[in-house]
Amino acid sequence: MDALRTARDRHKGKTRVSLQKFIDRLRKHSDLGEGDVARLQSLDTVSRQLAPGGFSVRDGTDLNTCSLLVSGIAASHKIVGSGGRQIVGMFFAGELVDFDGLFLSSIDYNVQAISECRVYDFHCEQLLDVMFQSPSIGKALFRETLIKSAISREWMANLGRRDSRTKVAYLLCELSVRLSQSGSAEAHDFMLPLTQEQISDIIGVTPMHVSRVLKDLEKDGLIHRERRKIRVLNWKLLASAGDFSPTYLRLTSDRQPPSVT
């Protein structure tokens, strides 16, 4: 019995540490007190490890859990009638990947691991109870859905109304900021988590075109590439080329990308 209690305590301790990125993310845009933090840390979780390409959830699945990405990078996508894939969202450490489960009986998209991922599953009813017990938590999670909606609007504008150079530059800017926000990159140096095929499934151009644009951005002195490592050499010019402003990501002022000259 003591060994079982010790194992449970150890799991709770790991859960508190793993939830910290999620809590820190919420605190960027919402006021959470110590009681709110304690409520979130008390949630029962089930941990899952996903290999690259593994599915966290599939289109049409009945949901009774919500999943938090603790580490790694994942993407949501739709498969159209012709069999083609459209990537419609990305998730980074500290983000909920299927918040829909709180209010909808099933999900209408796939969530798939881009890299090695660890996911924590919460029971929807328990998370709802916490939201109703604490209006601050409820407001924070609602703000998360609004930020996700803002990201979706930017992706829609990028997909439909920008040329290929602007599309790629925009995506590099967002990846730089969101990877930095999740603690997976420093400043403007980051590992590109996506293949050229995956980038093409986000922005709607061929992988060959993606390759050509990346070479042009490097030739023009905006970025430097070393295999999949990207270094932004001139943030202002890259942001201008991508028609990018981080306002929609709702970062605090000290997390705004610094100017690089």
Side-chain angles (χ1 to χ4, degrees):
M1 183 64 70
D2 289 341
L4 179 59
R5 185 179 297 110
T6 299
R8 286 174 176 169
D9 290 344
R10 189 181 301 118
H11 175 70
K12 281 291 186 182
K14 290 180 178 179
T15 299
R16 283 192 291 271
V17 172
S18 298
L19 288 180
Q20 194 58 51
K21 283 187 178 180
F22 176 51
I23 293 168
D24 289 344
R25 176 179 173 81
L26 295 181
R27 279 182 151 174
K28 288 181 184 296
H29 55 67
S30 300
D31 293 326
L32 295 179
E34 293 306 315
D36 300 318
V37 171
R39 285 189 177 94
L40 289 171
Q41 290 176 335
S42 69
L43 289 168
D44 295 326
T45 63
V46 175
S47 177
R48 289 186 290 139
Q49 193 76 22
L50 298 175
F55 284 83
S56 176
V57 66
R58 291 181 182 268
D59 188 350
T61 301
D62 292 335
L63 295 177
N64 55 23
T65 61
C66 293
S67 301
L68 171 69
L69 187 60
V70 177
S71 63
I73 300 169
S76 55
H77 63 80
K78 298 281 290 185
I79 303 297
V80 299
S82 64
R85 177 181 65 175
Q86 179 66 48
I87 296 178
V88 295
M90 291 188 66
F91 304 98
F92 301 88
E95 298 182 6
L96 292 166
V97 303
D98 52 7
F99 193 63
D100 313 54
L102 280 182
F103 302 104
L104 301 176
S105 59
S106 63
I107 198 167
D108 63 354
Y109 54 88
N110 302 290
V111 178
Q112 193 169 13
I114 297 293
S115 67
E116 191 85 17
C117 291
R118 180 171 293 280
V119 174
Y120 275 3
D121 293 330
F122 305 100
H123 197 281
C124 290
E125 291 299 324
Q126 189 182 22
L127 187 53
L128 277 173
D129 287 344
V130 168
M131 290 173 62
F132 288 130
Q133 290 167 8
S134 169
S136 296
I137 293 175
K139 290 177 182 178
L141 292 177
F142 184 62
R143 288 192 182 100
E144 277 291 291
T145 67
L146 295 178
I147 292 170
K148 290 298 183 186
S149 295
I151 293 172
S152 293
R153 287 190 293 271
E154 287 291 332
W155 278 41
M156 190 180 301
N158 197 51
L159 178 64
R161 291 296 177 181
R162 290 173 178 149
D163 61 34
S164 56
R165 178 183 172 91
T166 309
K167 288 178 178 181
V168 173
Y170 162 84
L171 184 60
L172 291 179
C173 287
E174 184 178 286
L175 287 172
S176 177
V177 173
R178 293 181 70 187
L179 284 167
S180 179
Q181 184 184 28
S182 70
S184 302
E186 295 183 6
H188 297 305
D189 289 356
F190 61 95
M191 295 298 296
L192 185 61
L194 301 165
T195 65
Q196 291 179 7
E197 180 181 0
Q198 289 166 336
I199 292 175
S200 74
D201 286 345
I202 293 174
I203 64 175
V205 301
T206 65
M208 186 177 298
H209 209 139
V210 172
S211 177
R212 188 180 305 124
V213 172
L214 287 170
K215 289 177 181 177
D216 286 345
L217 292 173
E218 186 170 27
K219 183 182 68 176
D220 293 342
L222 277 65
I223 63 171
H224 173 71
R225 293 187 300 159
E226 186 176 339
R227 297 187 178 180
R228 295 182 70 170
K229 184 175 182 179
I230 300 286
R231 173 172 292 177
V232 179
L233 301 178
N234 192 315
W235 174 262
K236 286 184 178 179
L237 286 182
L238 185 65
S240 177
D243 190 25
F244 178 82
S245 169
T247 305
Y248 68 100
L249 295 172
R250 304 298 178 193
L251 303 174
T252 55
S253 58
D254 63 325
R255 297 296 302 198
Q256 296 287 349
S259 298
V260 177
T261 56

